[in-house]
Amino acid sequence: MPCTALLSLALSASLLQTPQQDTTTYARAESLLVSGDLGGAEAILVRILGRDREDVTALVLLGRVRLATAGQSDWSWEAWDILEEAWELAPTNPQIPYWQAHVGLAVGGSNGEWAIRDGLYRIWNLDPSYRDTWEIWRHAYHGREELEQAVEILARHDGDPTADLRRAQLLIALNQYEHAERLLAGLVAAGHRDAAVWALRAQGALESGDTVNGSAYYDAALDAVATDSLSILWRQLAVIASPEEDSAHAATAPADREAFFRAFWQRREPDLGTAVNERLVEHFVRLRRARREFRLLHPQAAFHRSRERRNIVAYLSPAVFQRVQSLGVPGLLPTMSARLEADLQAAGVGTDLRQLPEPDSLTRYRRFGFDGRGLVYLRFGEPKRRYVTGGDVEAWYYEVGGEPMVGVFARATSSDGSAMFGGDMVVFPTNRREVEHSVQLLQRDTTSVEAPREVHAWVATFRGAAPGDHMVYVGVTPDSGAAAVWDGNWEPVGRVPGTSPFVFRLSAGEHRLGVDVRADGELGRLRADVSISDLWRERLTVSSLLIGALSDTGFTRDDAARALPGTRRLPAGAPLALYSEIYGLPTDSLGLAAYEVEYAFVPVGAGQAVRVAFERQARATPTVVERVILAPGEVPRGKYLITMTVRQRVVGREERTTLADVELR
């Protein structure tokens, strides 16, 4: 751990007191330690220990001085020995093993792992809630043996809410879901309403296949998200968050986080026609497998702690590139440009993993506890094809949005500088194309619920009954399924199951539209941003335009909406009924509104436009219905952009509405 971080931790450390020494002397030594005057602090402590070698307070402070000096010399283990001497004198003081755990953080590697865990186990025997020990635990390797030992220690505090909550979390990591559920249900029965309890109940249920209870528990956790003392809800999903979502969460106040989490999953819901969010369920199923197969084995390796080490590893790029070429991955076959790029890399100036930004002190792997394969698997699921060579290099092939995408992984975290490969798999792009793919694979995510059915749709807007309201029709094909609308912040506005057209009452502004349909057993999915224009302006405005194959001259708006298929393909040999509404028409002294309406069918591509115009006079009302039926054959076969223009000549006003890509066939 950097000295600055250790010194900042020292600010909050409490002083131990002994009757032999004035506490102001200890305070002076600690003040010098915090300010960076390590020599001055050590001089005071050496004098104290010269008089009394069993002064525990002085031993702890001297251990911390040695730890802070570790960046200048190899004194980390000397710090451990001094702290161990203090522990033998005061084995009930959790501050001593706390700093021993920090020795492990400073040392790193496998020895550091041992020191971290040994220090934490000692602390939890005394106090399972001590300081930030669980944050330190997240950055140490813990397989089944280590998890079971921690569970055994926490069981000694049975009945302590924090110990029971943490024990349940570890039991879930061990896939012991029934045991974890008993502990969590007991906390609920005892009146503990922390969102962390419900979040862990949800995780245990969803990972074990109990979708109904898991979804209900998760909803209860979101209801109480402001009380999530352990940030469990965020830690569960942070691994798949986009950079924008990561930043947004950090800036979101606890009182507003329920909306944040609900929006997070609503953006990802793959099938609006079902009772559960399959993407939420799928995430926890993936999480269980990722813990089993892609857990980070060496979180304390130098690769995760040192940008310099990552720079050295980057020079393996040409060797990785050669192995990737031998895999036969689609789209990555050797080409002239690829060979040129390999030569550049061999010279140390090529494209490599350094173009994937990592923070200076903590890689994304150590932050989340998964290797590169785990990070990508959690976001995109099982690859379409997986290529492996010798266990050192892998390539995963996906098709995302119909486009091929490849992630390359190589073992590159070994602390042994003599080994070409070793340690955990990390994302390891070796050319510009792989860098582009890797960035997307580490920032986006998707569901495994496929939606191969093609979806066509149209949106039409009309005034509603009350000022400010708009009736928005959404027509799709196939026409059986569900539609939902959210506002610009992903707050739900409405959800409608059934058949097309779907109707919503919306205000003007930006909205998100989702439509999922089923036909012949196949799912079709549509997600789009929709802008609703304000039709309540104090001037002439025109609604959207509907067109359908109708012959009844008294047809209504709903009739026209039902007659316009989602494909906007109509029979050329049938009557064409056009429907719209005009608002705010100026009137004369007799209360009449006179206007001209022109329909223009402009071919998409070559061809002659067809124009039909009418002079109208109607009794003025807030809404004037405009409809016309064109005889069969009046508009030839073809694809058209249809524009309706309304002109009010007295005051020189004109308004236009358009319906794009209507095909008569």
Side-chain angles (χ1 to χ4, degrees):
M1 171 172 286
C3 292
T4 53
L6 292 169
L7 293 175
S8 65
L9 286 168
L11 287 169
S12 59
S14 60
L15 289 175
L16 301 173
Q17 297 184 21
T18 65
Q20 292 83 3
Q21 184 67 42
D22 185 351
T23 57
T24 58
T25 306
Y26 300 132
R28 174 61 178 161
E30 185 165 24
S31 176
L32 292 170
L33 166 62
V34 172
S35 67
D37 186 353
L38 304 180
E42 181 173 349
I44 294 174
L45 298 169
V46 168
R47 285 198 300 271
I48 295 173
L49 292 169
R51 295 191 296 268
D52 181 6
R53 186 63 192 181
E54 295 187 353
D55 189 317
V56 173
T57 303
L59 285 170
V60 172
L61 287 171
L62 183 60
R64 289 171 55 192
V65 169
R66 288 286 190 267
L67 181 58
T69 314
Q72 304 170 19
S73 61
D74 189 19
W75 281 359
S76 293
W77 288 117
E78 184 174 347
W80 174 277
D81 292 339
I82 294 170
L83 291 165
E84 188 68 12
E85 187 177 347
W87 179 249
E88 291 174 0
L89 296 168
T92 60
N93 186 341
Q95 185 180 177
I96 299 169
Y98 178 78
W99 290 109
Q100 287 183 312
H102 279 81
V103 170
L105 288 172
V107 171
S110 58
N111 288 331
E113 295 271 358
W114 166 82
I116 292 169
R117 288 192 297 268
D118 193 74
L120 295 181
Y121 292 154
R122 287 179 173 181
I123 294 169
W124 293 337
N125 265 309
L126 302 169
D127 181 359
S129 305
Y130 190 75
R131 297 182 68 170
D132 60 340
T133 50
W134 288 99
E135 186 64 26
I136 297 172
W137 172 257
R138 289 182 60 233
H139 300 305
Y141 170 75
H142 32 80
R144 174 166 291 277
E145 181 180 343
E146 291 78 16
L147 290 168
E148 288 175 344
Q149 186 169 351
V151 167
E152 180 183 346
I153 291 170
L154 294 176
R156 298 168 192 164
H157 301 275
D158 189 33
D160 179 301
T162 300
D164 287 348
L165 186 62
R166 290 297 191 182
R167 181 156 48 123
Q169 188 177 16
L170 298 178
L171 287 167
I172 290 172
L174 286 165
N175 300 339
Q176 296 181 21
Y177 302 113
E178 292 184 4
H179 190 178
E181 171 59 18
R182 288 196 297 272
L183 283 174
L184 295 167
L187 288 171
V188 172
H192 296 283
R193 302 300 180 187
D194 192 320
V197 176
W198 293 104
L200 289 175
R201 293 188 84 181
Q203 181 174 351
L206 292 171
E207 285 192 16
S208 61
D210 185 353
T211 300
V212 174
N213 281 323
S215 298
Y217 293 155
Y218 198 85
D219 197 58
L222 295 187
D223 287 341
V225 65
T227 67
D228 187 4
S229 60
L230 305 181
S231 296
I232 296 294
L233 281 163
W234 173 244
R235 295 190 191 284
Q236 287 172 333
L237 60 79
V239 66
I240 65 169
S242 69
E244 294 77 16
E245 289 168 330
D246 202 339
S247 300
H249 176 265
T252 302
D256 299 324
R257 285 181 181 163
E258 179 183 355
F260 172 87
F261 284 104
R262 292 193 185 279
F264 184 95
W265 290 114
Q266 285 166 5
R267 284 191 287 272
R268 293 164 167 81
E269 188 168 2
D271 189 348
L272 300 169
T274 58
V276 300
N277 186 332
E278 291 84 357
R279 182 66 185 92
L280 171 66
V281 174
E282 180 181 51
H283 173 67
F284 286 100
V285 173
R286 290 178 182 178
L287 196 60
R288 175 177 178 167
R289 181 183 172 190
R291 282 201 313 270
R292 182 180 71 248
E293 297 185 21
F294 308 122
R295 181 192 299 275
L296 191 67
L297 303 179
H298 306 287
Q300 290 299 314
F303 179 92
H304 304 294
R305 301 149 47 85
S306 166
R307 180 178 290 274
E308 289 73 19
R309 176 64 186 174
R310 293 195 290 276
N311 286 343
I312 293 171
V313 169
Y315 285 96
L316 293 175
S317 183
V320 175
F321 183 86
Q322 292 172 5
R323 296 201 182 190
V324 171
Q325 284 184 316
S326 70
L327 294 175
V329 182
L332 293 184
L333 296 176
T335 64
M336 286 298 292
S337 59
R339 286 197 294 270
L340 174 60
E341 197 159 42
D343 293 336
L344 292 173
Q345 290 161 6
V349 293
T351 307
D352 55 47
L353 84 171
R354 287 171 293 185
Q355 295 201 10
L356 293 180
E358 293 284 2
D360 288 339
S361 58
L362 193 68
T363 64
R364 70 188 84 227
Y365 312 101
R366 184 175 164 189
R367 178 184 176 192
F368 297 118
F370 296 101
D371 69 13
R373 299 167 302 176
L375 297 182
V376 172
Y377 173 76
L378 285 167
R379 288 179 177 273
F380 286 87
E382 187 68 19
K384 197 174 185 71
R385 288 189 289 277
R386 186 171 170 178
Y387 302 83
V388 181
T389 175
D392 290 325
V393 175
E394 291 189 24
W396 288 12
Y397 177 85
Y398 292 94
E399 290 181 4
V400 181
E403 297 295 325
M405 192 173 294
V406 178
V408 174
F409 311 95
R411 297 195 183 279
T413 67
S414 173
S415 296
D416 182 3
S418 63
M420 175 171 287
F421 297 104
D424 287 300
M425 289 276 191
V426 299
V427 178
F428 208 121
T430 63
N431 57 56
R432 292 180 182 86
R433 184 179 182 185
E434 289 171 25
V435 169
E436 293 170 0
H437 289 180
S438 298
V439 169
Q440 294 191 60
L441 290 171
L442 291 171
Q443 293 184 351
R444 296 170 55 187
D445 72 289
T446 190
T447 179
S448 298
V449 179
E450 296 184 351
R453 190 79 183 190
E454 189 174 12
V455 179
H456 299 273
W458 52 261
V459 178
T461 307
F462 302 85
R463 273 189 183 181
D469 283 349
H470 296 77
M471 302 307 295
V472 178
Y473 290 71
V474 179
V476 297
T477 186
D479 64 358
S480 177
V485 173
W486 302 269
D487 67 14
N489 296 318
W490 286 95
E491 287 284 345
V493 177
R495 182 174 295 206
V496 182
T499 57
S500 172
F502 305 102
V503 184
F504 298 92
R505 191 178 76 175
L506 306 177
S507 59
E510 302 301 318
H511 294 76
R512 321 273 186 175
L513 171 66
V515 181
D516 292 327
V517 295
R518 286 191 179 276
D520 301 325
E522 285 189 333
L523 176 67
R525 182 183 305 126
L526 174 67
R527 299 293 183 270
D529 294 333
V530 177
S531 181
I532 305 302
S533 299
D534 185 5
L535 297 179
W536 288 91
R537 294 166 291 176
E538 293 297 326
R539 62 179 180 83
L540 175 67
T541 54
V542 182
S543 73
S544 298
L545 178 63
L546 297 174
I547 182 171
L550 295 170
S551 57
D552 182 359
T553 57
F555 66 92
T556 66
R557 179 206 296 172
D558 287 348
D559 294 331
R562 283 191 292 268
L564 176 56
T567 58
R568 290 174 287 197
R569 291 173 178 168
L570 297 165
L576 296 179
L578 294 101
Y579 179 96
S580 63
E581 294 174 1
I582 306 169
Y583 314 111
L585 273 170
T587 62
D588 60 18
S589 59
L590 298 177
L592 297 175
Y595 63 96
E596 176 186 316
V597 59
E598 179 186 81
Y599 296 93
F601 292 76
V602 180
V604 177
Q608 186 70 32
V610 176
R611 300 180 185 274
V612 182
F614 303 93
E615 294 284 346
R616 304 289 200 199
Q617 188 175 57
R619 183 160 298 279
T621 58
T623 299
V624 173
V625 173
E626 168 60 29
R627 53 191 158 205
V628 65
I629 293 182
L630 302 180
E634 194 165 346
V635 181
R637 296 174 183 270
K639 182 179 287 189
Y640 295 93
L641 176 73
I642 306 177
T643 300
M644 186 191 82
T645 303
V646 176
R647 299 184 182 90
Q648 214 293 328
R649 296 191 180 281
V650 175
V651 294
R653 292 179 182 172
E654 180 177 292
E655 188 71 10
R656 181 174 299 167
T657 187
T658 300
L659 180 59
D661 294 346
V662 172
E663 186 173 3
L664 304 181
R665 52 183 294 172

